[in-house]
Amino acid sequence: MNNLVHTLIWLSVASIAVSAPAPATGREHVVRMANMRYEPVPAGLKVGDSIFWVNRDRVPHTVTARNRSFDVRIPAGKSVRMTLKRPGRTPFYCILHPAMRGTLVVAN
């Protein structure tokens, strides 16, 4: 299978896994990726909220939990919605650019 087909399949599966609708009470947040960095993650995240991960770079990125509870793939110039399902503190990073990292802090 060529790389383009493999990448398209991989992106389709990743977007299906994280595009579940948020509960009506959940808030929406945006975290941008630009210049090979994540913007600071907003405070006050709660279970049921959604984060729109927006990749403004010209290369793909991921948002991958250190504990493997989520792995979001975002192509260059695209965005992906992720609904927060678990409370707690979860460090994350980009598997393609390990210097990119942050932490989600999610309350009940």
Side-chain angles (χ1 to χ4, degrees):
M1 187 178 307
N2 71 36
N3 286 342
L4 177 59
V5 172
H6 184 263
T7 300
L8 291 173
I9 291 168
W10 179 65
L11 294 173
S12 296
V13 170
S15 66
I16 291 167
V18 296
S19 62
T25 59
R27 293 176 37 204
E28 295 180 349
H29 308 272
V30 175
V31 177
R32 291 172 190 84
M33 292 159 267
N35 301 314
M36 305 300 283
R37 294 182 182 180
Y38 298 106
E39 278 186 347
V41 175
L45 299 173
K46 295 184 179 181
V47 171
D49 287 358
S50 294
I51 296 178
F52 286 92
W53 300 98
V54 180
N55 183 352
R56 296 248 171 111
D57 282 327
R58 293 183 180 183
V59 297
H61 291 301
T62 75
V63 181
T64 304
R66 293 275 179 193
N67 67 7
R68 299 185 180 157
S69 61
F70 56 84
D71 184 27
V72 180
R73 312 293 172 121
I74 306 115
K78 302 292 183 181
S79 62
V80 174
R81 178 180 177 201
M82 179 179 96
T83 301
L84 303 173
K85 297 178 181 177
R86 297 180 187 180
R89 182 179 181 87
T90 308
F92 63 87
Y93 70 110
C94 175
I95 62 172
L96 304 170
H97 311 101
M100 292 177 64
R101 53 187 166 229
T103 301
L104 288 180
V105 180
V106 180
N108 278 329

